[in-house]
Amino acid sequence: MSRSICITAADGQIGHLITELLLSNQFKPGIDELFCVTLHPDKCEDLEQMGATIITHKHMRLGTDLAEEKTQPHLRQFTKIETEMMQMRDMEGMEAGTSQCIIRAGYYAEHLLLYEKDVKNNGMLRLPIGNANSFAPVVLGDVVKVAANILVSKGSKGLSDRFRGQLITLTGPMMCNGIELAAAASQAGVDIGFADISDTEAKQLLESDTDVDDSEKQYLLEYYSLVREGKTNYVSTLDFAPITGEEPTKPPDFFKMHESEFKPKKRHIIGQ
């Protein structure tokens, strides 16, 4: 059975990494065509060189079902998107509608890199998540591996029956509150502390020290509110090893990979 794959938002971090992996020697033999839809084709020139067909899209993120319409409206949009995807099963002429798999990823550990400058200057990871509740950051590369393995799987109706119709929730393998997250960094040689901050401070921090767009800022602030409400106190990793044949990345290993980005600046003392 031939397999044509279309990656949307291929200019973004997730779409770009999935495309790169799919075009690697590990997965490329199982793909006949790979299309990349993007608002910014200049950011996908390397993918075109690797063999992808780039489609420029003229303008017209994953949430959790625990998000509330009033307090986390942006996160709630993702469950609406999931619903629309599932409704494709009833649409005539939509062959792909009978072969769906939804991957619901949580908080990407790479979001912590947005606070690189603040951590280096202050030696503290400052997040508005309170001191009691936990979350389990998942490394983006782990999500990409799961997606790539599913996309090249084959069955009589499209995807392998192992994945067809599945809703796969992915988190990292370790629940951490802020203090435990800082301790995980310390295990990797990154000696930092943790401080809970207000929403206002968090917004100011994102606006002053990062270049993420407004929708991304809103997503992060809403997710942090889920943590404070105790709605992220879980891990979901049982699917990862059977799909990828590997173990998910633990927080200390993530901080080790990004040690240089997080290590606080050494303060120079006059006379020494």
Side-chain angles (χ1 to χ4, degrees):
M1 181 182 293
S2 63
R3 174 57 49 87
S4 295
I5 295 175
C6 179
I7 304 294
T8 60
D11 51 297
Q13 189 178 29
I14 302 172
H16 204 283
L17 287 174
I18 290 176
T19 304
E20 286 181 347
L21 188 56
L22 288 172
L23 292 173
S24 69
N25 292 334
Q26 180 181 359
F27 294 101
K28 194 172 183 178
I31 302 172
D32 297 292
E33 298 175 299
L34 196 153
F35 301 93
C36 293
V37 179
T38 174
L39 292 170
H40 307 286
D42 57 303
K43 296 182 179 180
C44 299
E45 292 176 354
D46 58 327
L47 301 178
E48 187 172 27
Q49 293 174 0
M50 293 174 68
T53 299
I54 308 302
I55 301 173
T56 303
H57 176 58
K58 295 184 179 179
H59 193 70
M60 32 165 285
R61 183 172 150 100
L62 178 65
T64 168
D65 55 350
L66 296 176
E68 301 291 343
E69 189 74 49
K70 291 183 178 179
T71 54
Q72 294 102 13
H74 287 73
L75 284 178
R76 195 65 189 175
Q77 288 177 2
F78 291 104
T79 56
K80 295 178 181 179
I81 294 172
E82 291 171 357
T83 299
E84 291 181 3
M85 286 291 296
M86 290 184 283
Q87 289 174 343
M88 289 173 61
R89 290 181 61 88
D90 301 321
M91 297 175 63
E92 294 184 7
M94 292 292 294
E95 294 183 8
T98 62
S99 190
Q100 303 163 331
C101 180
I102 295 173
I103 300 174
R104 182 183 287 173
Y107 181 93
Y108 294 123
E110 283 75 5
H111 283 137
L112 298 173
L113 295 173
L114 294 172
Y115 304 95
E116 167 192 351
K117 181 178 178 181
D118 187 54
V119 170
K120 283 185 173 180
N121 288 336
N122 300 301
M124 302 288 288
L125 179 62
R126 301 193 296 158
L127 299 174
I129 58 174
N131 293 306
N133 293 306
S134 301
F135 65 128
V138 59
V139 171
L140 178 56
D142 287 349
V143 179
V144 168
K145 290 175 184 177
V146 170
N149 277 278
I150 291 173
L151 284 168
V152 299
S153 70
K154 294 183 179 180
S156 60
K157 294 185 178 181
L159 297 179
S160 167
D161 289 342
R162 288 179 59 201
F163 308 126
R164 193 169 62 87
Q166 292 287 320
L167 193 159
I168 299 172
T169 300
L170 288 179
T171 72
M174 178 178 168
M175 271 193 301
C176 306
N177 58 31
I179 294 174
E180 292 166 339
L181 195 59
S186 297
Q187 290 179 39
V190 182
D191 189 15
I192 59 175
F194 167 76
D196 177 42
I197 58 176
S198 67
D199 265 348
T200 300
E201 290 173 301
K203 186 175 181 180
Q204 291 173 346
L205 188 58
L206 287 171
E207 290 176 347
S208 62
D209 285 352
T210 69
D211 58 358
V212 297
D213 60 34
D214 290 341
S215 62
E216 187 79 358
K217 293 173 187 173
Q218 189 62 38
Y219 165 83
L220 290 170
L221 292 172
E222 289 185 9
Y223 193 92
Y224 295 143
S225 72
L226 284 181
V227 179
R228 292 197 305 272
E229 293 171 8
K231 294 180 178 179
T232 59
N233 290 321
Y234 64 91
V235 294
S236 182
T237 58
L238 291 178
D239 291 310
F240 186 82
I243 293 174
T244 67
E246 303 175 21
E247 293 299 320
T249 305
K250 297 179 180 179
D253 296 324
F254 168 78
F255 283 108
K256 189 65 177 179
M257 288 188 291
H258 297 280
E259 183 177 0
S260 61
E261 287 102 322
F262 284 111
K263 273 198 170 180
K265 293 180 180 179
K266 292 183 179 179
R267 301 187 182 278
H268 178 69
I269 301 176
I270 297 175
Q272 292 187 354

